[in-house]
Amino acid sequence: MLILNKSSIEQAIQPKGMIEAVKQALIMYESGNFLMPDRMHINVDKNTLLLMPAFAQKYLGTKLVSVFPDNIKRNEPVIYGTMILNDAETGKTIALMDGSALTAHRTGAVGGLAAKILANPNMNKLGIVGAGVQSFHQALYICQSINIYELHIYDIFPEKVNDWMIQLKSKLPKIKIIVSGSSEELVGNSDIIVTATTSNEPVIPDKQNLYNNKLILAFGSYKPNMKEMPDAVYKNVQIFTDTEFAIVESGDLAQPLKNGLIRENQIQLLSKVLTNKVKPDHNKTIIFKSVGMALFDITVSSYIYNEAINEKLGITVGF
């Protein structure tokens, strides 16, 4: 069994390879050629344990993820995780991976792919709400997927922003990074808006005119009571998601559906854009709401595993 920590994972991956891996997961999802039960949530107060199994072609696997929002106050990561990858023919465990690093890069790659296929070519100013690990990877992948020259960042904890900027500038030295004084300022100065927080309440303004002809990529809400987006974004809107389960799991879809702001037939799978069944309508506000899925983890972890084998990375152990 190969053990891959964060360092080994980051040595193994390339953004283009990761984006191709999540693309293949979406195409597989559209084809139905996989087995993936709805993920299990175990909630204790604000804390959550997620169990995410999937079976796809050559591999099966399970990711365990803990989400502890108050870790921000402890200066600890909000998300910890472990990915177990198995050979689908024998069931043998072939890899154990740092699930936090895998999730961060996998979700960043989903954002990069979504921006690439949904954004108008003239969109080159990116705004990100939330200066955390996930927002860092969204910036990293989106800026390497499309032609972004200006990045706006806002967080309710200003002390987090400086370290975030220093790290990102080392990775993307050509991108101009601007700290916004408010979420309204950020939205007004951005063509693409990313929300990547653990908030239960909207983190961007409830003003419809701010969102006309813009692209919103929402990643934070993973429970029905969590809603990062305000009601204003649902007017004259085209909505995409990564999985049908999102309409039940995320408050960003479940709540506006319940309140009659949108209809279920307005929500389409991102995979349908990849398979040319649907085209983005740039005369509308476009929303991509991602909750993630185990199928992403299978395609991404198998990509990482094979790259690590080729590059002789990680530690091999026997059980």
Side-chain angles (χ1 to χ4, degrees):
M1 180 179 71
L2 187 65
I3 297 178
L4 296 170
N5 63 10
K6 178 181 177 182
S7 176
S8 296
I9 287 170
E10 293 188 340
Q11 288 179 70
I13 63 177
Q14 294 292 331
K16 287 184 179 178
M18 290 290 287
I19 289 172
E20 180 61 28
V22 298
K23 178 181 177 181
Q24 290 307 311
L26 287 169
I27 291 172
M28 195 183 304
Y29 189 82
E30 182 74 5
S31 73
N33 188 24
F34 65 94
L35 178 61
M36 182 178 65
D38 291 342
R39 64 182 164 198
M40 181 189 297
H41 287 228
I42 302 172
N43 300 307
V44 180
D45 299 324
K46 292 186 289 185
N47 303 321
T48 304
L49 176 66
L50 303 173
L51 177 66
M52 302 171 63
F55 196 123
Q57 298 176 352
K58 294 182 180 180
Y59 302 97
L60 63 93
T62 304
K63 190 171 75 174
L64 293 167
V65 176
S66 63
V67 185
F68 281 53
D70 283 347
N71 278 1
I72 292 173
K73 301 172 187 175
R74 305 181 182 101
N75 199 29
E76 291 268 359
V78 170
I79 298 174
Y80 283 102
T82 304
M83 180 69 197
I84 304 165
L85 186 67
N86 302 78
D87 182 291
E89 186 173 344
T90 64
K92 179 183 178 180
T93 302
I94 57 175
L96 182 67
M97 303 185 189
D98 180 333
S100 302
L102 182 143
T103 299
H105 282 277
R106 172 268 261 175
T107 312
V110 173
L113 178 64
K116 186 175 182 179
I117 66 175
L118 294 178
N120 187 313
N122 297 322
M123 291 179 168
N124 45 41
K125 292 185 288 185
L126 174 65
I128 299 183
V129 180
V133 172
Q134 188 46 248
S135 66
F136 178 87
H137 289 85
Q138 290 301 322
L140 194 63
Y141 278 86
I142 292 170
C143 289
Q144 293 182 83
S145 299
I146 60 175
N147 185 31
I148 296 293
Y149 69 78
E150 191 173 285
L151 191 158
H152 298 262
I153 176 67
Y154 171 74
D155 195 288
I156 59 172
F157 300 105
E159 64 275 12
K160 293 176 59 181
V161 173
N162 191 51
D163 288 344
W164 189 93
M165 288 177 61
I166 291 170
Q167 292 182 56
L168 194 64
K169 281 181 177 178
S170 70
K171 299 284 188 180
L172 302 170
K174 295 181 180 180
I175 303 293
K176 182 180 180 181
I177 304 177
I178 301 167
V179 179
S180 297
S182 67
S183 62
E184 183 168 351
E185 180 185 323
L186 178 141
V187 172
N189 290 323
S190 304
D191 304 314
I192 302 170
I193 301 112
V194 173
T195 59
T197 75
T198 57
S199 177
N200 289 341
E201 305 295 332
V203 295
I204 49 179
D206 196 19
K207 297 183 179 181
Q208 183 185 348
N209 64 308
L210 285 174
Y211 304 104
N212 294 336
N213 309 117
K214 294 191 177 185
L215 172 62
I216 303 172
L217 308 176
F219 290 91
S221 167
Y222 59 92
K223 295 180 184 178
N225 67 317
M226 298 176 73
K227 184 171 179 282
E228 290 188 301
M229 293 186 286
D231 290 348
V233 304
Y234 302 103
K235 306 289 177 64
N236 191 35
V237 68
Q238 185 182 34
I239 303 172
F240 295 96
T241 188
D242 43 14
T243 167
E244 287 102 337
F245 187 55
I247 67 172
V248 176
E249 186 171 51
S250 170
D252 277 327
L253 298 179
Q255 291 186 38
L257 279 168
K258 181 180 178 180
N259 295 332
L261 297 175
I262 56 174
R263 301 180 308 278
E264 195 168 323
N265 62 9
Q266 287 180 265
I267 303 169
Q268 302 178 82
L269 292 170
L270 187 65
S271 57
K272 294 191 180 297
V273 181
L274 288 172
T275 53
N276 297 312
K277 295 175 182 176
V278 178
K279 292 184 178 180
D281 185 349
H282 296 121
N283 293 314
K284 295 183 177 181
T285 301
I286 299 176
I287 294 172
F288 170 62
K289 173 57 204 164
S290 176
V291 295
M293 59 177 170
L295 201 54
F296 286 141
D297 297 314
I298 290 288
T299 57
V300 164
S301 61
S302 60
Y303 160 72
I304 293 170
Y305 172 75
N306 285 299
E307 290 296 308
I309 292 292
N310 292 336
E311 298 295 324
K312 296 181 172 58
L313 297 169
I315 300 170
T316 300
V317 299
F319 270 3

